[in-house]
């Protein structure tokens, strides 16, 4: 290749203009910004958020950026981490899943914090958010199969994207932005254990930490710090270390490797460079992202929807159930049905447990943020249901993923009745998008403990008219 991958990315990122963006792309940014701010308000009371806020309040520092909701003014690099965790804390923010999964809105706080530090216009911040979605989602198509299948966490991808967002808003030169990508991409490779087995607060925090590191990398590059330009394709770069790449000839070298599950039908490990940097500006990936209708791991959504449909339409009560069979893709069985998921002890494990989510849906006939409160997790009635939930890995379904997210739920009753529901994608998927009314209902439910109805309306109106606000006024209006 004539130019390094990092340089191709930097050229596009620095040359993209607000005026280049189609109207529907700008509108979609506002929808995701609205959804993300709602998720941040939902994370306001969580323990993990407040631990980080306490640490940074004690550390103090330059008053560069606002902590959403709380109103603290702290260094932008620190506000990025707190605000990103607020968005992520309930696992209710957006989802994009192709070869890899990701939550592009984790990076929105980097755009807000750096934008506030730099006094950027909201139009510039919108461009930065477009870049966040563009490259985060393209990174999810880059490794084939994804780094998640190689037992690494998708924060490994985010480390390359956050410096692009921060660097654009900091007006870095092309060389400086290339350095920023190289700095961040050298030290944030994240192993898969935060989302495997018994989960902890790190499940929601590793990606925000990668976002924060990207902001710090941009600050370093601004001061003249150098980073590896060929951090993707060079010797012992990402592609060389993760295999499937001929570093000498700079071309894919597919290699046969086993997947995380015996049923997985994976192609040879390789890289799709064109998916990362080909056709930039022809269309925009944000239009392909999904929102979450449930505050749970993405692969649970179709199954939750199918379960609710089966029990509500057939008036099946918890005491009627003999067994529930959930047919899913192999990787969902691996992630969501291991032994820890049948006896969750924390919100983090529960919202990544398909047996728990299905059992809770059967008991309450809904799934909300309250479904993962301690009293729900330790509900004695739960054990009467959760061990009746059986996961079945399907090779057929694995072949359909990620183009579809198939689910077959069969609810078997003690009377011998079988109620089966088959679905191929959940609410919030681009093929069945959440309406603005859906997002408003979600935002209001998440922010009800903090905001009255007038404040909720004012924030919605501000976000959808954000170009006409200054960033400092915008952030001030997000303080409860």
């Amino acid at each position: 290749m004539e130019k390094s991958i990092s340089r191709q990315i930097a050229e596009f990122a620095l040359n993209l203009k607000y005026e280049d963006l189609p109207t529907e792309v700008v509108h979609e940014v506002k929808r995701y910004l609205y959804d993300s701010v709602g998720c941040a308000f939902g994370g306001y009371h969580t323990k993990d958020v407040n631990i980080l806020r306490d640490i940074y309040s004690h550390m103090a520092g330059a008053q560069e950026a606002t902590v959403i909701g709380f109103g603290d003014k702290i260094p932008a690099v620190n506000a990025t981490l707190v605000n990103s965790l607020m968005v992520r804390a309930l696992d209710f923010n957006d989802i994009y899943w192709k070869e890899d999964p990701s939550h592009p809105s984790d990076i929105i706080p980097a755009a807000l914090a750096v934008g506030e530090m730099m006094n950027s216009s909201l139009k510039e911040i919108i461009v930065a958010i477009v870049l966040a979605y563009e490259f985060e989602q393209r990174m999810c198509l880059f490794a084939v199969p994804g780094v998640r299948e190689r037992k690494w966490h998708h924060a490994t991808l985010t480390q390359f994207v956050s410096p692009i967002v921060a660097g654009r808003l900091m007006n870095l030169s092309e060389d400086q932005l290339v350095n920023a990508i190289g700095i961040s991409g050298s030290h944030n490779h994240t192993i898969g254990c935060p989302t495997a087995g018994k989960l902890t607060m790190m499940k929601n925090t590793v990606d925000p930490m990668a976002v924060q590191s990207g902001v710090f990398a941009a600050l370093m590059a601004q001061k003249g710090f150098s980073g590896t330009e060929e951090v993707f394709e060079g010797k012992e770069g990402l592609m060389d270390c993760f295999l499937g790449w001929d570093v000498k000839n700079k071309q894919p070298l597919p290699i046969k490797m086993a997947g995380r599950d015996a049923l997985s039908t994976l192609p040879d490990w390789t890289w799709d460079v064109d998916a990362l940097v080909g056709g930039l500006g022809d269309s925009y990936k944000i239009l392909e992202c999904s929102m979450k209708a449930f505050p749970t791991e993405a692969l649970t959504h179709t199954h939750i929807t199918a379960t609710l449909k089966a029990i509500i339409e057939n008036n099946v009560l918890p005491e009627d159930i003999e067994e529930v069979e959930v047919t899913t893709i192999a990787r969902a069985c691996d992630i969501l049905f291991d032994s820890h998921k049948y006896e969750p002890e924390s919100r983090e494990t529960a919202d990544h447990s398909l047996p728990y989510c299905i059992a809770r849906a059967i008991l309450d006939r809904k799934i909300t943020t309250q479904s993962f409160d301690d009293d729900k997790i330790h509900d004695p009635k739960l054990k009467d249901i959760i061990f009746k939930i059986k996961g079945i890995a399907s090779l057929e379904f694995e072949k359909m993923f990620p183009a579809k997210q198939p689910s077959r739920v069969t609810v078997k009753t003690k009377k011998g009745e079988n109620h089966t529901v088959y679905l191929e994608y959940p609410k919030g998927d681009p093929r069945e998008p959440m309406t603005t009314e859906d997002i408003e209902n979600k935002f209001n439910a998440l922010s009800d403990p903090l905001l009255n109805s007038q404040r909720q309306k004012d924030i919605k109106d501000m976000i959808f008219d954000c170009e006409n606000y200054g960033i400092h006024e915008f952030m001030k209006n997000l303080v409860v």
Side-chain angles (χ1 to χ4, degrees):
M1 57 186 72
E2 293 182 6
K3 296 180 181 180
S4 69
I5 291 173
S6 292
R7 193 162 294 276
Q8 293 177 62
I9 290 171
E11 284 184 353
F12 177 77
L14 296 175
N15 289 311
L16 183 65
K17 297 178 176 60
Y18 177 83
E19 291 73 23
D20 297 334
L21 302 176
T23 302
E24 64 269 24
V25 170
V26 173
H27 182 66
E28 203 67 6
V29 168
K30 295 174 182 179
R31 280 166 45 89
Y32 280 101
L33 181 56
Y34 184 39
D35 184 68
S36 301
V37 170
C39 289
F41 285 135
Y44 182 93
H45 293 293
T46 59
K47 185 177 180 181
D48 46 2
V49 165
N50 281 276
I51 288 172
L52 290 186
R53 180 190 172 225
D54 288 347
I55 291 170
Y56 285 134
S57 295
H58 179 73
M59 290 172 63
Q63 296 185 3
E64 296 173 335
T66 304
V67 178
I68 295 172
F70 296 101
D72 307 346
K73 290 277 194 175
I74 59 177
V77 68
N78 298 342
T80 295
L81 177 56
V82 180
N83 289 341
S84 184
L85 181 57
M86 289 183 76
V87 171
R88 186 82 195 97
L90 297 181
D91 209 342
F92 212 172
N93 60 323
D94 60 8
I95 178 66
Y96 182 76
W97 198 320
K98 296 300 180 184
E99 295 293 341
D100 269 306
S102 74
H103 307 282
S105 60
D106 290 357
I107 311 174
I108 287 178
L112 295 176
V114 175
E116 190 175 3
M117 178 182 72
M118 298 297 297
N119 195 27
S120 304
S121 71
L122 263 296
K123 287 184 178 180
E124 271 295 292
I125 291 169
I126 286 171
V127 173
I129 293 172
V130 170
L131 291 170
Y133 278 79
E134 189 67 25
F135 287 109
E136 185 78 357
Q137 290 175 245
R138 282 173 174 264
M139 286 294 296
C140 292
L141 299 163
F142 181 38
V144 182
V147 300
R148 189 73 188 94
E149 287 305 302
R150 308 176 196 206
K151 301 189 178 181
W152 291 80
H153 189 276
H154 58 80
T156 299
L157 312 179
T158 302
Q159 67 175 327
F160 296 98
V161 182
S162 179
I164 302 168
V165 174
R168 166 60 191 253
L169 290 168
M170 291 169 61
N171 302 311
L172 297 189
S173 69
E174 183 180 304
D175 286 341
Q176 288 174 325
L177 186 50
V178 168
N179 281 326
I181 295 168
I183 293 166
S184 187
S186 295
H187 72 108
N188 287 288
H189 296 80
T190 306
I191 54 178
C193 66
T195 54
K198 184 178 180 180
L199 306 189
T200 69
M201 292 178 185
M202 285 305 293
K203 184 260 287 186
N204 290 324
T205 310
V206 287
D207 208 43
M209 292 179 84
V211 176
Q212 180 191 42
S213 288
V215 174
F216 194 69
L219 289 167
M220 292 168 67
Q222 185 185 49
K223 295 292 186 181
F225 212 98
S226 61
T228 305
E229 174 158 352
E230 291 193 333
V231 68
F232 290 102
E233 73 275 22
K235 184 176 181 180
E236 299 185 20
L238 174 72
M239 301 158 79
D240 190 18
C241 287
F242 278 68
L243 306 181
W245 180 250
D246 179 351
V247 69
K248 182 178 180 180
N249 296 302
K250 298 291 192 295
Q251 63 185 22
L253 182 64
I255 183 172
K256 193 70 178 176
M257 299 289 283
R260 62 169 48 252
D261 187 281
L263 280 179
S264 297
T265 54
L266 299 178
D268 293 348
W269 289 13
T270 187
W271 299 88
D272 188 344
V273 176
D274 191 63
L276 181 58
V277 292
L280 288 168
D282 292 347
S283 60
Y284 293 91
K285 289 294 183 184
I286 193 170
L287 299 175
E288 301 173 16
C289 200
S290 298
M291 291 185 180
K292 284 191 174 185
F294 304 111
T296 61
E297 200 276 343
L299 294 180
T300 66
H301 286 214
T302 316
H303 307 299
I304 294 170
T305 303
T307 300
L308 289 169
K309 185 176 177 67
I311 64 170
I312 291 172
E313 290 184 358
N314 296 287
N315 196 30
V316 178
L317 301 177
E319 57 268 26
D320 299 332
I321 290 175
E322 182 69 31
E323 185 178 73
V324 178
E325 289 184 350
V326 181
T327 304
T328 182
I329 62 174
R331 71 193 76 182
C333 276
D334 177 67
I335 296 169
L336 306 174
F337 271 103
D338 67 62
S339 59
H340 291 288
K341 304 305 190 298
Y342 280 92
E343 298 184 278
E345 297 176 0
S346 66
R347 170 185 289 274
E348 291 83 2
T349 303
D351 67 27
H352 270 50
S353 163
L354 197 43
Y356 178 87
C357 291
I358 297 297
R360 201 72 259 166
I362 290 168
L363 288 165
D364 300 336
R365 303 177 103 71
K366 61 183 179 181
I367 291 290
T368 68
T369 55
Q370 288 73 41
S371 301
F372 305 96
D373 290 347
D374 283 347
D375 63 326
K376 294 288 188 179
I377 292 173
H378 298 104
D379 179 4
K381 296 178 182 177
L382 186 66
K383 290 190 182 296
D384 295 335
I385 297 293
I386 196 167
F387 291 104
K388 296 179 179 180
I389 316 298
K390 310 297 181 185
I392 300 173
S394 167
L395 181 59
E396 174 192 0
F397 284 9
E398 189 74 32
K399 292 177 180 178
M400 296 167 66
F401 187 84
K404 297 179 180 180
Q405 297 180 39
S407 168
R408 182 183 299 112
V409 173
T410 299
V411 178
K412 300 180 179 181
T413 72
K414 294 175 182 177
K415 295 179 181 180
E417 301 168 336
N418 289 347
H419 304 292
T420 298
V421 174
Y422 173 77
L423 296 174
E424 292 186 338
Y425 44 83
K427 180 72 171 176
D429 184 277
R431 291 160 291 191
E432 191 177 337
M434 290 179 68
T435 65
T436 300
E437 183 181 1
D438 291 332
I439 306 170
E440 182 177 11
N441 291 337
K442 176 180 172 180
F443 180 96
N444 291 346
L446 289 166
S447 62
D448 269 341
L450 302 173
L451 305 172
N452 61 36
S453 58
Q454 186 60 52
R455 286 289 318 279
Q456 290 171 334
K457 180 181 182 301
D458 289 346
I459 290 174
K460 177 190 175 186
D461 291 344
M462 177 183 72
I463 290 173
F464 282 95
D465 188 38
C466 63
E467 302 97 324
N468 294 313
Y469 286 79
I471 182 58
H472 298 292
E473 181 185 9
F474 185 90
M475 295 305 296
K476 183 178 179 180
N477 288 338
L478 299 184
V479 177
V480 300

